[in-house]
Amino acid sequence: MNIKIVEVGPRDGLQNEPQLISLDLKIKFIEKLAETGVGCIEVGSFVSPKAVPQMADTDTLLMNLKVREKYKDRNISFSALVPNMKGFERVMNLPENSRPHILAVFTASSDTFNKRNINMTVQESLKVIAEVVSSAKKYGFEVRGYISTAFWCPYEKKIDPRRTLNICEKLLESGVDELSVGDTIGRASPKDVKELLELVLRYIHPSKISMHFHNTYGMAIANSFVSYDLGIRTFDSSAGGLGGCPFAPGASGNVSTEDLVFAFENSGIKTGVDFAKVIESTKILPIKPRSALSNIQNIIM
Ligand code: COA
Ligand code: ZN
């Protein structure tokens, strides 16, 4: 495989949907996604249920999925967001066979966004993250670190790439294994991506980085290819292009998994993902997919 896809639909995709999706449908959606060939699935968030009601059932969801038992012989891992020690305690309260393999901590390049998202400045959140990461490592979890608004912030506008680099480095120092560099509002252009990655990759190996694009302004696929050309091999995407961030007004969905896979495969880049199965998986949900492929009746091969 040339690249790895991290499917974030069940988390980043669903968290912004006003309509509550039942536990049963979430389980079916995730089980279908696990058959598509994606390398990782982010299934939910151990955040405050008041902040994101759609994610309130993540504990029960994982207890049903039993990911460590059911997928133990499969080349797939599962992750969930953990904002603080309270979230980490929720993970530890799960039976061992139900715990996600990867815990995802998150901060941002913009203080204004971070305050609205998790009620902490970036500095404050890095302290909390350091504690979560050190506890997670003691129990053998892998840790992913999200940097939201890495390029643009809905409040502070364009972000200085040096600021994002600095946060990437701090996350790695605290023990995070993989960074997910996020264009939360989908405003980055290929030029912005090149500018940031050329700086970041001077200090950080590309194998430590996943790119997380949203498609609000229609630039996500172009941005993915620029990243690929610069050496990035892991990409976050969401089946059906669902998603958005409840704390980033105007942000639309993630780059859609099926469109991204189709674009890569048709450019000779192997993803290991079956885009038709991804489209099938979105049919489980009572939400209209927003990908280009889902609107095409007969896909010409
Ligand atoms: N899981 C469940 N409940 C939690 C929690 C967690 N991880 N962390 C805090 N809470 C609860 C507290 O127990 C408290 O409950 P109470 O009001 O019933 O007493 C309440 O949330 C407030 O706790 P506090 O520590 O003061 O947190 P806060 O109000 O400053 O909120 C976060 C901080 C991080 C918990 C909250 O902003 C949040 O969950 N944000 C998530 C945002 C998100 O998921 N964004 C999308 C991903 S980019
Ligand atoms: Zn996102």
Side-chain angles (χ1 to χ4, degrees):
M1 234 53 70
N2 302 118
I3 67 163
K4 175 179 166 185
I5 297 282
V6 176
E7 169 59 54
V8 296
R11 197 278 301 173
D12 210 1
L14 296 186
Q15 74 182 8
N16 203 35
E17 291 299 328
Q19 175 186 1
L20 280 185
I21 306 298
S22 72
L23 183 65
D24 182 49
L25 286 189
K26 284 184 187 172
I27 293 169
K28 290 197 174 112
F29 180 43
I30 293 163
E31 286 179 343
K32 271 256 188 208
L33 287 169
E35 304 304 321
T36 61
V38 295
C40 179
I41 305 179
E42 193 152 275
V43 297
S45 298
F46 293 96
V47 296
S48 155
K50 281 182 207 147
V52 188
Q54 185 73 270
M55 295 291 119
D57 60 1
T58 294
D59 318 65
T60 327
L61 176 70
L62 275 155
M63 276 199 266
N64 279 275
L65 288 170
K66 296 191 179 63
V67 292
R68 292 208 186 210
E69 185 180 311
K70 286 196 191 151
Y71 298 93
K72 104 171 162 306
D73 303 319
R74 296 266 309 277
N75 200 13
I76 184 168
S77 50
F78 294 82
S79 69
L81 283 196
V82 175
N84 52 20
M85 285 307 288
K86 177 143 194 192
F88 182 72
E89 281 155 26
R90 284 170 62 191
V91 172
M92 295 312 290
N93 282 337
L94 294 171
E96 234 169 291
N97 65 358
S98 301
R99 293 177 192 158
H101 306 92
I102 302 169
L103 305 187
V105 293
F106 53 112
T107 183
S109 294
S110 138
D111 270 321
T112 319
F113 174 81
N114 216 44
K115 279 289 265 184
R116 297 202 189 204
N117 193 28
I118 52 176
N119 197 26
M120 290 179 240
T121 62
V122 173
Q123 205 54 39
E124 286 162 353
S125 70
L126 287 169
K127 270 203 202 130
V128 172
I129 285 173
E131 198 185 351
V132 173
V133 177
S134 108
S135 309
K137 287 281 146 190
K138 271 187 215 137
Y139 289 91
F141 292 99
E142 270 182 59
V143 184
R144 166 168 245 252
Y146 279 103
I147 305 105
S148 294
T149 59
F151 301 91
W152 285 83
C153 166
Y155 314 105
E156 297 182 18
K157 315 295 177 206
K158 179 85 166 77
I159 299 292
D160 185 335
R162 287 170 299 183
R163 173 130 177 98
T164 297
L165 169 64
N166 181 262
I167 293 153
C168 289
E169 288 181 318
K170 289 200 171 127
L171 286 173
L172 290 174
E173 277 163 27
S174 73
V176 162
D177 300 290
E178 180 186 66
L179 302 165
S180 173
V181 178
D183 179 21
T184 311
I185 58 166
R187 173 62 182 83
S189 67
K191 179 169 169 278
D192 297 333
V193 174
K194 194 161 178 279
E195 182 192 23
L196 178 66
L197 280 179
E198 280 178 349
L199 174 69
V200 166
L201 294 173
R202 267 192 245 155
Y203 305 93
I204 300 171
H205 195 269
S207 62
K208 291 268 177 203
I209 299 174
S210 180
M211 295 307 288
H212 180 107
F213 291 118
H214 283 248
N215 200 35
T216 319
Y217 290 77
M219 293 189 275
I221 299 269
N223 289 339
S224 304
F225 275 77
V226 170
S227 309
Y228 180 84
D229 285 342
L230 291 169
I232 301 297
R233 294 293 179 268
T234 308
F235 293 88
D236 300 359
S237 61
S238 146
L242 306 180
C245 175
F247 306 94
S252 82
N254 294 79
V255 61
S256 103
T257 306
E258 56 269 40
D259 290 352
L260 186 65
V261 164
F262 193 82
F264 275 138
E265 293 283 341
N266 279 274
S267 308
I269 299 163
K270 296 266 167 290
T271 64
V273 178
D274 182 336
F275 72 84
K277 284 190 182 170
V278 177
I279 296 174
E280 277 309 304
S281 72
T282 63
K283 293 187 178 153
I284 288 171
L285 301 173
I287 305 169
K288 194 174 160 11
R290 300 194 270 272
S291 61
L293 285 190
S294 61
N295 285 315
I296 301 174
Q297 292 304 321
N298 292 305
I299 296 169
I300 299 169
M301 294 302 289

